């Protein structure tokens, strides 16, 4: 009964549950796998019906961002984060149809130019498999940002999405440390370079999170994200991720206009350059194929030797 004395109508969730159970019984008797799939689908539908489309879409979107750094979790070319992302967009589709898509003209022109260049490159290559990778690149760099902007999360939801991404990166890095062996950290990714890129992206998100979080959680979340990202970059052996991360660190004093911070970065940078320069001389016969993720020249193995010792202690 409501506050004004009027009895509210019973919800539709109990009736929906009973109807779903009745309809699922004949199909569940044919296959155990089909029965489990129907149970999962029924639970998802009941959860959406009880929570609402917008709230369910928000929860699934945050979960999708949290699982995004773990591209090993999935089937074939479809990751589990992709599944949650598309479901979240689908649940919000009734709302999206009533909203406009604010895209800057500069982004539209850049997107058209980028897609044109990628497609022309595919035509010149003349290989059928190139179109598959071109489609993934176009989706990741053009379509995915458009869909997120169209979904239009507010600042609070956006912060939760980015915190989830940082937490997913940290979990992936920690998962791979005990399995690192004498080579590079894969984490929950298909290649150590992917782990390095996700860690580098997490590091790039830290300044925004530091300004957006409350003082109660700012240092804990940003410190953990920065530490996990640093460990991920070093143990992945990705030189591109390391270079971009160093470039981001150098940019911070320039943006903040802080002399003490600049001196700290210069001092730390000198130590890192001396360390890398001493170990960046590949020995004869040790240059293996880096694209396989198993190369072990000194500039990669020495930078992860300390983390191998940590991983060996974790296995004890």
């Amino acid at each position: 009964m409501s506050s004004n004395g009027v009895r509210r109508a019973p919800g539709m969730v109990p009736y929906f549950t009973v109807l779903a159970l009745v309809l699922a019984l004949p199909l569940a008797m044919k296959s155990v796998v089909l029965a489990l799939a129907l149970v999962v689908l029924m639970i998802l539908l009941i959860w959406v019906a009880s929570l609402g489309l917008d709230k369910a879409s928000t929860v699934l979107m945050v979960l999708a961002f949290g699982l995004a750094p773990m591209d090993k979790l999935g089937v074939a070319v479809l990751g589990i984060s992709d599944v949650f992302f598309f479901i979240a967009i689908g649940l919000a589709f009734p709302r999206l149809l009533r909203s406009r898509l604010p895209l800057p003209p500069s982004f539209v022109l850049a997107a058209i130019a980028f897609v044109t260049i990628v497609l022309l490159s595919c035509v010149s290559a003349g290989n059928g498999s190139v179109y598959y990778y071109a489609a993934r690149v176009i989706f990741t760099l053009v379509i995915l940002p458009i869909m997120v902007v169209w979904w239009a999360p507010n600042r609070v939801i956006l912060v939760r999405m980015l915190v989830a991404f940082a937490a997913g990166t940290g979990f992936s890095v920690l998962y791979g440390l005990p399995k690192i062996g004498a080579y590079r950290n894969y984490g929950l990714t298909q290649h150590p370079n992917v782990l390095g890129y996700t860690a580098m992206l997490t590091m790039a998100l830290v300044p925004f999170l530091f300004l957006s979080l409350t003082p109660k959680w700012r240092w804990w979340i940003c410190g953990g994200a920065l530490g996990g990202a640093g460990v991920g970059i070093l143990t992945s052996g990705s030189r591109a991720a390391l270079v971009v991360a160093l470039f981001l660190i150098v940019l911070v004093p320039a943006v903040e206009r802080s002399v003490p911070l600049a001196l700290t970065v210069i001092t730390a940078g000198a130590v890192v350059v001396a360390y890398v320069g001493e170990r960046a001389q590949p020995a004869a016969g040790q240059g293996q194929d880096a694209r396989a993720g198993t190369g072990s020249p000194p500039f990669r193995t020495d930078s992860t030797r300390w983390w191998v010792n940590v991983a060996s202690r974790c296995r004890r």
Side-chain angles (χ1 to χ4, degrees):
M1 183 174 294
S2 61
S3 59
N4 56 4
V6 178
R7 185 178 298 272
R8 292 180 178 176
M12 295 298 296
V13 175
Y15 301 101
F16 182 82
T17 304
V18 173
L19 179 61
L21 286 173
V22 172
L23 294 177
L25 284 177
L27 296 175
M29 296 175 63
K30 297 181 179 180
S31 172
V32 178
V33 177
L34 183 59
L36 293 176
L38 288 174
V39 169
V40 173
L41 180 60
M42 182 183 62
I43 293 174
L44 179 61
L45 292 176
I46 294 173
W47 174 70
V48 171
S50 60
L51 193 62
L53 293 179
D54 285 339
K55 290 184 178 179
S57 176
T58 300
V59 173
L60 292 178
M61 184 64 75
V62 172
L63 186 59
F65 269 71
L67 295 172
M70 314 173 198
D71 67 332
K72 185 179 288 187
L73 303 179
V75 179
V77 298
L78 190 64
I80 188 172
S81 62
D82 302 328
V83 174
F84 286 125
F85 177 81
F86 285 117
I87 294 177
I89 294 294
L91 294 178
F93 197 69
R95 174 178 62 85
L96 298 181
L97 292 177
R98 299 191 301 267
S99 61
R100 57 186 298 270
L101 180 59
L103 290 178
S106 57
F107 177 84
V108 175
L109 294 176
I112 294 174
F114 177 77
V115 173
T116 303
I117 293 173
V118 171
L119 293 180
L120 290 177
S121 301
C122 294
V123 172
S124 61
N127 191 353
S129 61
V130 175
Y131 290 95
Y132 164 75
Y133 294 104
R136 289 182 63 91
V137 170
I138 292 174
F139 175 80
T140 303
L141 298 180
V142 179
I143 300 178
L144 185 61
I146 292 176
M147 296 178 72
V148 173
V149 171
W150 194 21
W151 192 69
N154 56 39
R155 190 178 185 87
V156 175
I157 296 176
L158 181 61
V159 169
R160 292 175 182 174
M161 292 163 57
L162 300 183
V163 170
F165 184 89
T169 301
F171 182 81
S172 178
V173 171
L174 293 177
Y175 177 84
L177 282 180
K179 307 175 183 297
I180 194 172
Y183 299 108
R184 302 164 64 185
N185 188 356
Y186 279 72
L188 284 170
T189 64
Q190 300 289 345
H191 195 280
N193 283 348
V194 178
L195 180 69
Y197 298 156
T198 56
M200 177 265 297
L201 182 57
T202 300
M203 182 176 291
L205 298 176
V206 168
F208 173 79
L209 292 177
F210 187 82
L211 297 176
S212 301
L213 293 169
T214 59
K216 179 181 178 181
W217 300 104
R218 178 180 298 163
W219 291 102
W220 291 100
I221 294 177
C222 293
L226 193 60
V231 173
I233 292 173
L234 291 176
T235 58
S236 68
S238 173
R239 291 162 290 185
L242 179 61
V243 170
V244 175
L246 294 177
F247 182 73
L248 291 173
I249 294 174
V250 172
L251 281 180
V252 172
V255 174
E256 295 294 331
R257 298 181 180 179
S258 173
V259 175
L261 186 58
L263 294 176
T264 303
V265 170
I266 292 173
T267 304
V271 175
V272 172
V273 169
Y275 175 82
V276 174
E278 182 181 355
R279 290 161 175 78
Q281 303 298 328
Q286 290 184 321
Q288 301 182 15
D289 188 7
R291 290 174 296 180
T294 58
S296 57
F299 63 84
R300 284 183 172 171
T301 55
D302 289 354
S303 64
T304 59
R305 193 177 303 279
W306 187 83
W307 299 106
V308 173
N309 296 331
V310 173
S312 63
R313 295 192 186 98
C314 294
R315 288 196 291 263
R316 294 175 184 174

